[in-house]
Amino acid sequence: MNEFISQLKESIELDFEGVKLSEINAYIKQNTLEIIFVCPDGKEKSLNDNIKVIAEKTAEILKTSFKIKIKIKKSYFDEAYFTYSLLGFVEKYPMIKHNLKSGNFAFEYNDSGIKVILSVPSAVAEYINGRKIKSELENFVNNNYCENIEIAISPVEIDDEEIEFEPPENKLVYDYEGGRKIKVSNVEPFIGDVIYERPSYIVDARPGDGVILCGKIKEFTERKRTMKEGETEQKYFFKFRLEDFTGSIDCIYFPTKKSLEKIRLLSDGKEIVAFGTTEMNTFKGVTTLSYRVRYISLCTLPTDFVVNRARMVLPEEYRCVHPVPYESYEQDNIFKVKEDVPDYLLGKEFVVYDFETTGLNQSTDKIIEIGAVKIKDGVITECFSTLVDPECLIPEKATAVNHITDADVKGAPLIGDVMPDFFKFCFGAIMVGQNSLQFDWPLLRAKAEPMNIYFENDQLDILLLAKKYYPDLSKYNLDFLSKKFGIVNEAAHRALSDTITTAKVFIKLAAHM
């Protein structure tokens, strides 16, 4: 790479000091070779102004018949995006992926540059150094940034049992064949090469080159580019949103003289498939994904689209949270008449569940405790209970209700480790909760579906059942219902205790079902 840059320096009178060759991407069907350079702040303009010359000289140096596309990226260090990028890079190493989280990153700034400290268990540090993965990390950083960035591995001593060396991968299957691609029809060339490959879902888009997406155009606008010194001709660019069946993305297109009149023929509602580059952009602390379009083909979107979900296969065994047999703490009473099991419960399996959380916002708040019990043939048989590390501070308001503190969840498993086990525990059962249809059920799906875990169980809500069979009660909260049926909640507002209480109330209500 250094030799290639040196040859460019010799053949072009441009300042290439500090410029690095970041990537070379070959697109065989487009007969295109994309060369991506990363440059220091202040040099992007001069390089972009001479892209045509750079492309010509590159073709000469490489002696290729491929069309050369040059892309200039300005090196900009942002802690959040750097963390995101590096975590993505180590995805291929399960041991590192499982033990390196965003909270393990620390940044130190000095006159010589930036030091990024990765705190990992000692065994993981040995693994990184032993397999020379650190040099791969350094190469990754060197190819994407012009800043002087040093990667330092900081070993942290913890119990070996806490280290997940090769965590078993969750197996995924699709609802139907074809993967997460959209089958468009009537594809016609419009701008650039015709795009025959099937586009991906917008919701699945990640930063990268050669990304193919499709959808309907929304908010199509033409804008004037700022005139550069010495320019005599006005240039334009176009912005629009592309919306498919799964989401939408902001798009930008810079036309050539040849494509300017064509792009003006587009308008809101047009259906297209596009080829381009997706990039992360941070503005005022908010990071979003945008799409720089290069080629556009017209198409017809399907009218019968159904999202092809990647679903996690039911785990063969519990990995993190193991259910335990339910033991009643009620003392046996020889004079107590054993109640008959309601007919509705016979031959069925139920899971009664409850969550404690950092707040009441199902989108942004986190689960900090899961409690669940299993009922078979009207008898409570198993308990599933765990605290969950939310990877954030627990608000005082939440602690005041559930009495769960930051110290309590320190060292607890993460929701990503717990959810597959909870999925296994609930599989095939009817799920029951107190006011669960309004809170717990939407919360569970919001947290599970990004992990490709889909809870599709039938649901029963104690609140609705109580209102149906006892319409004259003044209240329907768990505390009131438990007192009505003479049930003692040993630790109200803790997930497992609330769940056991809810299960006993449910068994009482089942007599009316």
Side-chain angles (χ1 to χ4, degrees):
M1 289 189 178
N2 290 334
E3 183 180 347
F4 174 68
I5 294 288
S6 298
Q7 291 183 53
L8 276 178
K9 286 181 180 179
E10 293 174 2
S11 58
I12 305 175
E13 293 184 1
L14 285 174
D15 181 9
F16 275 89
E17 191 63 37
V19 177
K20 297 179 180 179
L21 178 59
S22 178
E23 295 179 46
I24 299 179
N25 300 307
Y27 303 106
I28 305 301
K29 291 186 178 180
Q30 281 78 30
N31 194 39
T32 299
L33 199 63
E34 180 185 57
I35 313 292
I36 302 176
F37 294 95
V38 59
C39 68
D41 189 17
K43 295 189 178 181
E44 185 181 18
K45 181 180 182 300
S46 64
L47 294 176
N48 274 316
D49 288 346
N50 291 276
I51 276 184
K52 186 176 180 180
V53 176
I54 297 172
E56 291 173 353
K57 292 299 180 183
T58 297
E60 291 178 12
I61 293 170
L62 298 180
K63 298 178 182 179
T64 178
S65 61
F66 274 53
K67 291 186 291 186
I68 301 295
K69 297 286 186 181
I70 300 295
K71 180 180 177 182
I72 308 298
K73 294 194 306 182
K74 183 175 71 173
S75 179
Y76 171 72
F77 183 84
D78 173 81
E79 290 185 6
Y81 183 54
F82 180 89
T83 301
Y84 173 88
S85 300
L86 198 65
L87 288 175
F89 178 75
V90 300
E91 284 275 329
K92 56 188 175 182
Y93 300 109
M95 182 177 175
I96 304 174
K97 170 187 171 183
H98 194 73
N99 293 284
L100 181 64
K101 308 297 181 184
S102 57
N104 300 113
F105 285 68
F107 300 88
E108 292 182 359
Y109 298 83
N110 50 56
D111 294 338
S112 60
I114 305 164
K115 186 176 184 180
V116 181
I117 304 169
L118 307 179
S119 297
V120 293
S122 299
V124 179
E126 291 177 8
Y127 174 84
I128 292 173
N129 294 321
R131 294 199 180 186
K132 299 182 179 179
I133 297 172
K134 186 183 177 186
S135 62
E136 292 187 28
L137 297 176
E138 290 169 343
N139 287 336
F140 169 78
V141 172
N142 188 55
N143 291 340
N144 287 277
Y145 292 92
C146 294
E147 290 85 353
N148 183 22
I149 302 173
E150 176 191 354
I151 298 290
I153 307 298
S154 176
V156 178
E157 295 295 335
I158 64 172
D159 292 337
D160 289 343
E161 293 180 358
E162 297 180 37
I163 303 172
E164 191 79 49
F165 284 93
E166 294 287 345
E169 293 292 328
N170 292 324
K171 297 179 181 178
L172 299 177
V173 295
Y174 285 106
D175 284 343
Y176 52 88
E177 293 182 1
R180 288 169 69 86
K181 302 284 186 179
I182 298 176
K183 186 178 181 181
V184 299
S185 57
N186 304 320
V187 178
E188 301 176 14
F190 185 68
I191 293 175
D193 298 334
V194 64
I195 304 166
Y196 291 112
E197 292 91 341
R198 285 190 181 181
S200 302
Y201 295 179
I202 287 177
V203 72
D204 292 340
R206 298 292 182 269
D209 298 293
V211 177
I212 299 174
L213 302 173
C214 71
K216 283 187 178 181
I217 291 177
K218 304 283 186 180
E219 303 170 22
F220 186 81
T221 58
E222 177 179 343
R223 303 186 184 186
K224 293 181 178 180
R225 297 179 69 173
T226 303
M227 297 282 285
K228 298 178 181 178
E229 187 177 348
E231 285 186 339
T232 58
E233 187 177 349
Q234 179 64 59
K235 293 184 178 180
Y236 301 87
F237 67 98
F238 295 79
K239 300 191 80 171
F240 57 93
R241 288 188 67 77
L242 191 63
E243 183 178 288
D244 71 1
F245 307 95
T246 68
S248 63
I249 190 170
D250 288 323
C251 305
I252 189 168
Y253 177 74
F254 295 97
T256 61
K257 287 183 179 180
K258 184 178 178 181
S259 66
L260 178 58
E261 293 307 317
K262 267 208 162 186
I263 192 69
R264 284 173 171 161
L265 296 176
L266 294 181
S267 59
D268 285 5
K270 287 282 188 181
E271 298 179 352
I272 66 169
V273 56
F275 174 96
T277 300
T278 46
E279 300 174 327
M280 298 295 294
N281 299 294
T282 301
F283 180 69
K284 293 185 177 179
V286 178
T287 301
T288 57
L289 191 68
S290 65
Y291 190 33
R292 183 166 179 165
V293 175
R294 298 182 206 167
Y295 307 147
I296 297 174
S297 293
L298 303 179
C299 72
T300 301
L301 300 178
T303 57
D304 57 351
F305 175 81
V306 177
V307 173
N308 193 7
R309 300 176 306 176
R311 295 181 292 107
M312 192 192 78
V313 177
L314 187 70
E316 295 181 1
E317 57 186 28
Y318 292 101
R319 302 172 185 172
C320 180
V321 181
H322 296 263
V324 297
Y326 171 73
E327 296 179 2
S328 174
Y329 293 98
E330 296 178 0
Q331 185 176 358
D332 288 335
N333 186 336
I334 61 173
F335 299 105
K336 184 178 179 180
V337 178
K338 186 175 181 179
E339 297 181 9
D340 292 333
V341 173
D343 290 341
Y344 175 76
L345 301 181
L346 295 175
K348 297 186 182 74
E349 187 172 294
F350 302 86
V351 167
V352 186
Y353 68 107
D354 183 63
F355 304 129
E356 297 302 330
T357 64
T358 58
L360 300 178
N361 188 310
Q362 294 157 351
S363 299
T364 58
D365 282 309
K366 308 291 184 69
I367 294 173
I368 55 176
E369 187 178 31
I370 297 177
V373 295
K374 188 168 289 185
I375 300 174
K376 291 183 179 180
D377 289 321
V379 178
I380 302 175
T381 59
E382 285 183 293
C383 298
F384 183 103
S385 178
T386 182
L387 289 165
V388 180
D389 183 353
E391 298 186 281
C392 68
L393 296 177
I394 300 174
E396 292 181 3
K397 288 183 179 180
T399 299
V401 174
N402 53 45
H403 307 295
I404 299 174
T405 66
D406 296 318
D408 292 328
V409 299
K410 185 177 181 180
L414 305 179
I415 191 65
D417 299 319
V418 170
M419 195 62 76
D421 286 342
F422 188 55
F423 178 55
K424 180 175 178 62
F425 186 75
C426 298
F427 190 79
I430 300 169
M431 296 182 70
V432 184
Q434 167 66 21
N435 197 28
S436 53
L437 292 180
Q438 290 296 316
F439 183 74
D440 299 271
W441 178 238
L443 173 72
L444 175 60
R445 297 185 67 176
K447 304 307 179 189
E449 290 182 7
M451 305 176 200
N452 299 308
I453 299 175
Y454 292 87
F455 286 83
E456 298 174 319
N457 311 60
D458 291 335
Q459 297 288 311
L460 291 174
D461 192 324
I462 296 297
L463 178 67
L464 300 181
L465 292 176
K467 285 184 176 181
K468 178 179 180 180
Y469 298 116
Y470 295 89
D472 298 326
L473 295 181
S474 59
K475 297 178 182 178
Y476 293 93
N477 58 45
L478 184 60
D479 182 57
F480 186 88
L481 292 174
S482 61
K483 289 177 180 177
K484 172 178 175 56
F485 292 114
I487 299 167
V488 177
N489 190 346
E490 299 290 346
H493 299 295
R494 287 302 299 263
L496 185 58
S497 184
D498 280 355
T499 296
I500 293 171
T501 303
T502 302
K504 292 177 179 179
V505 170
F506 170 61
I507 292 171
K508 295 286 186 181
L509 291 171
H512 301 278
M513 299 172 72

